[in-house]
Amino acid sequence: MSFGEKTAWITAIVTSIVYLAYLSTVLAQAPMSGPLSETPYVGPMVAAWIGSIVGIIALTITVSIASPRDAGVADERDAKILQRGEYLGLYLLATGSIAAAVLAMLEIDYFWIANVIYRGLVLSTLTSSVVQVAAYRRVLSQW
């Protein structure tokens, strides 16, 4: 397994776990009666962002130490796979950004706007990682 594929797996797994932890935390704190938008979300969201970044970096460093020959080595195929994954992930990021802008124009509560932005980031990251893994596994057609 190439270093690029390992990194894609790490990113997908950490992003999924941290986002599910964020959702669990927010839903557990939700008021029994009243709107969900009154749930405190800022602290858990910031913790999720930091947790994702630290988790991905720490696991990537661990994988680099475990197999130093592969660390940072990328060929033309790796670059194309990364580019394709990022390209497709940006579609979801743009969609999430537009959705958040629409919510802001409609003056919807900040809770929903922030969560749409975060969900867009998560979906973008997961799409990018899944496309990369699929390309490495040759599930996708050749470029």
Side-chain angles (χ1 to χ4, degrees), residues 58-138:
L59 287 173
T60 302
I61 290 171
T62 302
V63 168
S64 298
I65 292 170
S67 54
R69 277 192 217 153
D70 298 337
V73 176
D75 58 12
E76 184 178 331
R77 178 175 173 255
D78 291 317
K80 286 183 179 181
I81 288 173
L82 177 65
Q83 180 183 26
R84 175 65 137 232
E86 295 295 324
Y87 179 76
L88 293 174
L90 285 175
Y91 280 115
L92 286 173
L93 184 61
T95 303
S97 299
I98 292 168
V102 168
L103 291 178
M105 289 178 215
L106 296 173
E107 299 180 4
I108 303 297
D109 193 274
Y110 292 140
F111 173 88
W112 297 111
I113 296 170
N115 277 283
V116 164
I117 292 170
Y118 185 33
R119 189 167 294 129
L121 288 169
V122 168
L123 291 174
S124 171
T125 302
L126 288 177
T127 300
S128 177
S129 296
V130 168
V131 166
Q132 289 174 43
V133 168
Y136 278 113
R137 298 293 170 144
R138 300 190 194 278

